[in-house]
Amino acid sequence: MNALLLKIDSRDTVAIITEASRKGDVVDGITLLSDIPQGHKVALQDMQKGDEVIRYGVVLGYLLEDVRKGSWINENSLELPLQPSLESLSFSEPEEVILMQPKRTTFEGFENPNGGFAGTRNILAITTTVQCVSGVVDQLVKRIKAELLPRYPNVDGVVAINHAYGCGVAINAPDAVIPIRSIKNTIKNPNFGGQVMVVGLGCEKLTVDKLLSDEENTPENVIILQDYPGYGPMMEALLMMAETKLKKLDQRRRKTLPLEKLCVGMQCGGSDAFSGVTANPSAGYASDLLVSGGATVMFSEVTEVRDGVHLLAERCKDEEALKKLVAEIGWYDEYLAKGSVDRSANPTPGNKKGGLSNIVEKAMGSIVKSGHAPIVQVIGPGELPTKKGLIFAATPASDIVCGPSQLASGMSVQVFMTGRGTPYGLAEAPVIKVSSRNALKHMWQDLIDLDAGSIATGEETVEVVGERLFNLILDVASGKKPFSEQYGLNNFLCFFNPAPIT
Amino acid sequence: MNALLLKIDSRDTVAIITEASRKGDVVDGITLLSDIPQGHKVALQDMQKGDEVIRYGVVLGYLLEDVRKGSWINENSLELPLQPSLESLSFSEPEEVILMQPKRTTFEGFENPNGGFAGTRNILAITTTVQCVSGVVDQLVKRIKAELLPRYPNVDGVVAINHAYGCGVAINAPDAVIPIRSIKNTIKNPNFGGQVMVVGLGCEKLTVDKLLSDEENTPENVIILQDYPGYGPMMEALLMMAETKLKKLDQRRRKTLPLEKLCVGMQCGGSDAFSGVTANPSAGYASDLLVSGGATVMFSEVTEVRDGVHLLAERCKDEEALKKLVAEIGWYDEYLAKGSVDRSANPTPGNKKGGLSNIVEKAMGSIVKSGHAPIVQVIGPGELPTKKGLIFAATPASDIVCGPSQLASGMSVQVFMTGRGTPYGLAEAPVIKVSSRNALKHMWQDLIDLDAGSIATGEETVEVVGERLFNLILDVASGKKPFSEQYGLNNFLCFFNPAPIT
Ligand SMILES: [Ca+2]
Ligand SMILES: [Ca+2]
Ligand SMILES: [Ca+2]
Ligand SMILES: [Ca+2]
Ligand SMILES: [Ca+2]
């Protein structure tokens, strides 16, 4: 295939090259001055030391040396610009955006007794108060799968909501609110059908009343292992409670529901330079279709949007959203500072290998997954949204922490964009994997659900791939199984706990 | 059963009551002035506001009110004493201690090719560089258990060394050294037979070279998922590598080995007031027998020994050990301060319900599990000891973090003392559970391996129960299965990561 140069904004002074190319090759009229790896940046003009390097119409950094047209621009070429200050952000009405209306406006989901978002799956979730009981609950889940689940064909699965929290933690630390609300809200995920089953030990710090209301905290919903005379009796009681819950879940059926009932999460991981021009813009287009159709879409990953926070600020629908944005991003700045690190901790070596020079470039590529809709609400990690539309859920970028955080906030299907490739999946909600490059899809035919690489080759547009992704999201929400779900590739839950371990 | 008052040191002004008793009951000649729950403290004399309350010969706190002989002394009665300062600690030769010689001086273990400690089990461990691959590795382990393991009868099991580290973390943060060395050293745990199998993704921050030496980092030992064309081929390669390792492990046989080859970990969790007079002193006695027989014993749990640090300092064998003790405890003080918490985060509500009024009382009860031997070395979380004998491994007290830390440091069998009861277990090493009270053993006949409650009733001595525990440790090290191993009750690994998530 012939290499192309992908320029995104008319102001850009660099473009990325779609194929690895050799010194002397002429690509889109530019002679390359060195070998350049796939996805890396090429200077579109002669520039001098100190000049702005612009991509996405945004300053990625300042040149450390003079460069000539056709030079390779990478992480060693650039000095980072200053991080946008939070103090300078102030509210102004966002520009009006007119979003395309989607052709499909319904999906087949599981309505929930308490209202709210609908499920895309029908799952029995068994939540633990503390990690001490996880060994017992893992054995329980094994037995439920073998002995009970076959008798309840309308139930899709059973999951243990195991986590590393609950005891041996500083439960009164200011930041303990984050893991506690994350676990508490996960119990209410729309995929769990409003059924509550909690297993506690009896002497943990995270007592059941911190997770359940008085109405929910009953012998029908809660088993405390220290109350049972031994392993045999506790397992018997657990199986009996599980069967009661399975009976109720088994009565649920999918029905046609409006998109207002759907909550979709967007995440990227193992990103490369293509992510920001193929997979993420397609996700952004699908997000806009979902939002204009009435659905709720969450995007996240604080450290990846930090350097574009001013762009998010401009899209905040009201002053409340802006204030919360500043508060959450400011909290994260302090959290990183306490650990003596800063934004340079991101990107990863894999990101850099893929052509992402620094965190500004990564941020721009990450933010495009949120499309163009206004941000109606900003929430902290594991908080519940109270509005419908586009939500910024301020979680870590870490794939395995962002996932559980979004689950806690009500996400019932996740879209995961990847450039380098990861087999990431969740037992609690289906995960759709979108590749940024044809090469990855060719390599991982049986792991990538949708390829956005055709945008890089010029064969398809963002709109075409974006609408295809929108349709796939609704299909998966309605029961179609992405690859990770077919194989049972599930990452364990890692709830965000910024407070100390004791 | 008649209630007794258990006084530990001749200087003590309080004693704990062995049974719940009523106001007016006369116990060991003292008339109780209120109802007093089991395991709680009774004033042995009239005392005034501000007086020292002494147990273990140590000041637990100062009275907030006048009390009379027979009063109930609990967490509401006491003001905490000042925490011992680290600056005041200086080295002096520890008092010579003469330890009992054990009758048994060998066990049946698996020698390792690289020398060092011997295994108590013969396990294939598959280590992940990053959480992204855990879904694939979990499926792999399932298939190995079903398809391969039955053909290798001398291999006890296969475990995934999954963890929440590897990417989405601040890998250059000063504290990142802790999780990295913990994962790196876990690969070398004596129970894994020197076989190395590491599964990476390909774009993670924790690259394989951070875990393995150049000699180990070979295609025979490492699989990078992004190098394989899809799920089918990667699973095939993984199964093939696993089988090669299983063949080697299957040739290992137990042989009679001296205690120098054994590394035992001590831990307590869900403690009560009996823990410090029954289970933990028995563990201390067993520890002394092990050490005098040549074995290495690790004890841990920084927050639980913090208030008795001056007692540990007196037992440090050399100045190096003392300096490291001060450094590790000082680091932890700062770590807690950064999270705006202090030592009052411990004990738990369950501890208090069980009669432990504050962290000083908990510390005294926790330290007795280390017996009387001198401390030959102090190591940080996940570090490898270089000496044999009694080691203080400065890990968090959290059961589920202390366990993996000790595994990383070479522990191959753990003794776990509990008062309230927990079904805790590890797939990587057998865990022996010791109860502090008869009531718990009666309640959990099929979960508690050894009961130390007979010490509280006066039926048996610490020495008798301690020697029984010593024998059980050697039996389990030689292959006998404790309950948690019989049922497969295994807590997932939670390596200590004090550095930020990104
Ligand atoms: Ca990302
Ligand atoms: Ca991510
Ligand atoms: Ca403990
Ligand atoms: Ca503890
Ligand atoms: Ca513990």
Side-chain angles (χ1 to χ4, degrees):
Chain A
M1 194 150 1
N2 281 336
L4 301 170
L5 288 178
L6 288 180
K7 185 172 166 176
I8 298 173
D9 188 282
S10 59
R11 291 162 291 181
D12 292 358
T13 59
V14 293
I16 68 166
I17 194 157
T18 60
E19 299 288 333
S21 301
R22 309 298 302 240
K23 180 174 176 173
D25 286 357
V26 180
V27 181
D28 284 347
I30 294 180
T31 305
L32 303 186
L33 301 184
S34 67
D35 293 358
I36 300 186
Q38 189 193 39
H40 279 246
K41 287 177 291 299
V42 179
L44 298 175
Q45 58 194 58
D46 291 352
M47 290 181 276
Q48 293 186 324
K49 183 175 167 177
D51 278 0
E52 295 176 340
V53 169
I54 297 176
R55 196 176 161 223
Y56 296 101
V58 162
V59 177
L60 296 187
Y62 304 95
L63 282 171
L64 292 168
E65 300 288 345
D66 296 355
V67 298
R68 287 172 45 220
K69 186 172 170 173
S71 295
W72 178 18
I73 305 290
N74 58 39
E75 70 268 27
N76 301 316
S77 321
L78 297 177
E79 190 188 4
L80 264 178
L82 284 179
Q83 193 164 47
S85 92
L86 297 176
E87 291 72 33
S88 68
L89 301 176
S90 67
F91 178 71
S92 58
E93 284 295 329
E95 282 178 52
E96 187 144 1
V97 181
I98 294 163
L99 301 174
M100 289 284 289
Q101 286 297 315
K103 294 182 194 121
R104 286 170 67 180
T105 56
T106 62
F107 73 112
E108 307 296 310
F110 293 98
E111 257 186 328
N112 274 312
N114 58 340
F117 294 123
T120 69
R121 296 293 181 271
N122 186 24
I123 294 169
L124 171 61
I126 302 170
T127 301
T128 59
T129 57
V130 62
Q131 212 255 21
C132 306
V133 305
S134 70
V136 171
V137 173
D138 283 341
Q139 287 298 332
L140 170 68
V141 167
K142 233 187 245 179
R143 289 195 56 183
I144 294 172
K145 283 182 178 171
E147 300 167 29
L148 301 180
L149 212 51
R151 299 211 298 272
Y152 302 96
N154 298 314
V155 181
D156 293 314
V158 51
V159 297
I161 306 297
N162 279 328
H163 53 81
Y165 202 71
C167 215
V169 293
I171 202 135
N172 296 320
D175 293 335
V177 63
I178 294 176
I180 296 171
R181 77 177 170 221
S182 298
I183 298 164
K184 179 186 169 106
N185 291 339
T186 299
I187 298 172
K188 303 293 169 59
N189 184 281
N191 289 346
F192 304 154
Q195 294 302 315
V196 173
M197 178 166 173
V198 173
V199 182
L201 181 59
C203 59
E204 62 273 35
K205 289 183 178 175
L206 186 66
T207 47
V208 179
D209 61 288
K210 292 195 173 77
L211 297 179
L212 298 181
S213 68
D214 287 353
E215 292 69 44
E216 293 164 331
N217 189 353
T218 65
E220 284 71 42
N221 295 338
V222 177
I223 284 182
I224 301 296
L225 299 189
Q226 285 174 351
D227 292 346
Y228 287 81
Y231 182 59
M234 66 180 69
M235 192 51 82
E236 207 175 305
L238 289 164
L239 284 165
M240 202 179 298
M241 182 180 285
E243 182 142 30
T244 310
K245 307 291 176 188
L246 286 172
K247 277 184 184 144
K248 289 184 190 154
L249 290 171
D250 201 50
Q251 288 160 21
R252 298 173 85 210
R253 295 291 181 277
R254 289 187 187 274
K255 52 182 284 190
T256 303
L257 297 170
L259 293 188
E260 282 79 17
K261 288 286 179 185
L262 185 61
C263 181
V264 177
M266 295 284 174
Q267 195 196 166
C268 60
S271 297
D272 65 6
F274 287 101
S275 299
V277 282
T278 60
N280 287 355
S282 309
Y285 190 82
S287 174
D288 284 342
L289 289 176
L290 286 162
V291 167
S292 73
T296 293
V297 176
M298 288 188 288
F299 73 108
S300 299
E301 308 185 86
V302 170
T303 51
E304 291 186 9
V305 305
R306 177 63 184 87
D307 281 77
V309 66
H310 51 299
L311 304 177
L312 298 187
E314 287 169 5
R315 289 167 62 193
C316 282
K317 182 115 191 192
D318 55 30
E319 186 138 17
E320 194 189 336
L322 179 82
K323 276 190 178 156
K324 180 77 167 163
L325 178 71
V326 169
E328 288 295 333
I329 303 268
W331 179 89
Y332 218 101
D333 283 353
E334 279 175 38
Y335 165 69
L336 290 178
K338 270 191 248 176
S340 310
V341 290
D342 59 25
R343 59 185 177 153
S344 65
N346 208 329
T348 65
N351 289 154
K352 288 179 184 162
K353 216 166 143 188
L356 289 175
S357 293
N358 65 27
I359 185 63
V360 181
E361 187 169 21
K362 191 168 176 178
M364 296 308 134
S366 184
I367 287 174
V368 294
K369 73 164 94 69
S370 65
H372 299 88
I375 296 167
V376 296
Q377 194 172 21
V378 174
I379 58 176
E383 275 185 346
L384 292 174
T386 56
K387 296 184 179 173
K388 286 187 197 306
L390 182 67
I391 308 274
F392 179 61
T395 79
S398 165
D399 301 348
I400 56 158
V401 179
C402 173
S405 294
Q406 288 191 351
L407 280 175
S409 297
M411 172 274 282
S412 65
V413 52
Q414 199 178 41
V415 184
F416 191 100
M417 288 69 73
T418 183
R420 313 286 307 169
T422 145
Y424 172 87
L426 293 168
E428 297 75 18
V431 175
I432 298 166
K433 285 221 281 299
V434 181
S435 60
S436 71
R437 298 174 297 137
N438 291 338
L440 176 59
K441 175 62 186 171
H442 290 149
M443 187 75 166
W444 278 14
Q445 290 282 355
D446 60 356
L447 282 165
I448 299 298
D449 299 294
L450 189 145
D451 179 31
S454 56
I455 298 167
T457 57
E459 295 162 88
E460 294 191 291
T461 63
V462 165
E463 291 73 16
V464 166
V465 176
E467 187 167 1
R468 187 178 301 139
L469 176 56
F470 168 80
N471 283 315
L472 180 58
I473 293 167
L474 298 194
D475 291 346
V476 169
S478 303
K480 182 186 166 99
K481 292 187 177 188
F483 285 122
S484 57
E485 189 177 13
Q486 290 173 36
Y487 308 137
L489 299 182
N490 301 322
N491 289 88
F492 62 85
L493 298 179
C494 182
F495 291 107
F496 186 34
N497 177 22
I501 299 293
T502 60
Chain B
M1 196 150 359
N2 281 336
L4 301 171
L5 288 178
L6 288 180
K7 185 173 166 176
I8 298 172
D9 189 281
S10 59
R11 292 162 291 181
D12 292 357
T13 59
V14 293
I16 68 167
I17 194 156
T18 59
E19 300 287 334
S21 300
R22 309 298 303 239
K23 181 175 174 173
D25 287 357
V26 179
V27 182
D28 284 347
I30 293 179
T31 306
L32 303 185
L33 301 184
S34 67
D35 292 358
I36 301 186
Q38 190 193 40
H40 280 245
K41 288 176 291 298
V42 178
L44 298 175
Q45 58 195 58
D46 291 351
M47 290 181 275
Q48 293 186 325
K49 184 176 167 177
D51 278 0
E52 296 176 339
V53 170
I54 297 175
R55 195 176 163 224
Y56 296 101
V58 162
V59 178
L60 296 187
Y62 303 95
L63 281 171
L64 293 167
E65 300 287 345
D66 295 357
V67 299
R68 286 175 41 222
K69 185 172 172 173
S71 295
W72 179 18
I73 305 291
N74 58 38
E75 71 268 27
N76 302 314
S77 322
L78 296 178
E79 191 188 4
L80 266 178
L82 284 180
Q83 194 164 47
S85 91
L86 297 177
E87 291 72 33
S88 68
L89 301 176
S90 66
F91 178 71
S92 58
E93 285 294 328
E95 280 177 53
E96 188 144 1
V97 182
I98 293 162
L99 301 175
M100 288 283 290
Q101 287 297 315
K103 293 183 195 121
R104 286 169 68 179
T105 56
T106 62
F107 73 112
E108 307 296 311
F110 294 98
E111 256 186 329
N112 275 311
N114 58 339
F117 294 122
T120 69
R121 296 295 180 270
N122 187 23
I123 294 170
L124 171 61
I126 303 171
T127 301
T128 59
T129 58
V130 62
Q131 212 256 20
C132 306
V133 306
S134 71
V136 171
V137 173
D138 283 341
Q139 287 299 331
L140 170 68
V141 167
K142 233 188 244 179
R143 289 194 56 185
I144 295 172
K145 283 183 178 169
E147 300 167 28
L148 302 180
L149 210 52
R151 299 210 299 273
Y152 301 98
N154 297 315
V155 181
D156 293 314
V158 50
V159 297
I161 306 297
N162 280 327
H163 53 80
Y165 202 71
C167 214
V169 294
I171 203 136
N172 295 319
D175 293 335
V177 63
I178 294 176
I180 295 172
R181 77 177 170 221
S182 298
I183 298 166
K184 180 187 169 105
N185 291 340
T186 298
I187 297 173
K188 304 291 169 61
N189 184 281
N191 289 347
F192 304 155
Q195 294 302 314
V196 173
M197 178 166 172
V198 173
V199 182
L201 181 58
C203 59
E204 63 273 35
K205 289 183 178 176
L206 186 65
T207 46
V208 179
D209 61 289
K210 292 195 173 78
L211 298 178
L212 298 182
S213 68
D214 287 353
E215 293 68 47
E216 293 164 331
N217 189 354
T218 66
E220 284 71 43
N221 295 339
V222 177
I223 284 182
I224 301 296
L225 299 189
Q226 286 174 351
D227 292 345
Y228 287 80
Y231 182 59
M234 68 181 65
M235 192 52 82
E236 207 174 305
L238 289 165
L239 284 165
M240 202 178 299
M241 183 181 286
E243 182 142 29
T244 310
K245 307 290 176 189
L246 286 172
K247 277 184 185 145
K248 288 185 190 152
L249 290 171
D250 201 49
Q251 288 160 19
R252 299 174 84 209
R253 296 291 181 278
R254 288 186 188 275
K255 52 183 282 192
T256 302
L257 298 170
L259 293 188
E260 282 80 16
K261 288 285 178 186
L262 185 62
C263 180
V264 177
M266 294 284 174
Q267 195 195 168
C268 61
S271 297
D272 65 6
F274 287 100
S275 300
V277 283
T278 60
N280 288 354
S282 309
Y285 190 83
S287 174
D288 284 343
L289 288 176
L290 286 164
V291 167
S292 74
T296 294
V297 176
M298 287 188 287
F299 73 109
S300 298
E301 307 184 89
V302 170
T303 51
E304 291 185 11
V305 305
R306 177 63 184 87
D307 282 77
V309 66
H310 50 299
L311 305 178
L312 297 188
E314 287 168 5
R315 289 167 60 194
C316 283
K317 182 115 190 193
D318 55 31
E319 187 138 17
E320 193 190 337
L322 179 83
K323 275 190 178 157
K324 179 77 167 162
L325 178 72
V326 169
E328 289 294 332
I329 304 269
W331 179 89
Y332 217 101
D333 282 353
E334 280 175 38
Y335 165 70
L336 290 178
K338 272 190 247 177
S340 311
V341 291
D342 59 24
R343 58 185 177 154
S344 65
N346 209 331
T348 67
N351 289 153
K352 288 179 184 163
K353 217 166 142 188
L356 289 175
S357 294
N358 64 27
I359 185 63
V360 181
E361 187 169 21
K362 191 169 176 176
M364 295 308 134
S366 184
I367 287 174
V368 294
K369 72 164 95 68
S370 65
H372 298 88
I375 296 168
V376 296
Q377 193 173 23
V378 174
I379 58 176
E383 275 184 346
L384 291 174
T386 55
K387 296 186 178 171
K388 287 187 196 305
L390 182 66
I391 308 274
F392 179 62
T395 79
S398 166
D399 301 347
I400 57 157
V401 179
C402 173
S405 294
Q406 288 191 352
L407 281 175
S409 298
M411 171 274 281
S412 66
V413 53
Q414 199 179 42
V415 185
F416 191 100
M417 288 69 73
T418 183
R420 313 286 306 169
T422 145
Y424 171 88
L426 293 168
E428 297 75 18
V431 175
I432 298 166
K433 286 220 281 299
V434 181
S435 60
S436 72
R437 297 175 297 138
N438 291 338
L440 175 59
K441 176 62 186 173
H442 290 150
M443 187 75 165
W444 279 14
Q445 290 281 357
D446 59 357
L447 282 165
I448 298 298
D449 300 293
L450 189 144
D451 180 31
S454 55
I455 298 166
T457 58
E459 296 162 88
E460 295 190 290
T461 63
V462 165
E463 291 73 17
V464 167
V465 176
E467 186 167 4
R468 188 178 301 141
L469 176 56
F470 167 80
N471 284 316
L472 180 58
I473 293 167
L474 297 194
D475 291 345
V476 168
S478 304
K480 182 186 166 99
K481 292 187 177 188
F483 285 123
S484 57
E485 188 177 16
Q486 290 172 36
Y487 308 138
L489 299 182
N490 301 323
N491 289 88
F492 61 86
L493 298 179
C494 182
F495 291 108
F496 185 34
N497 177 21
I501 299 293
T502 60

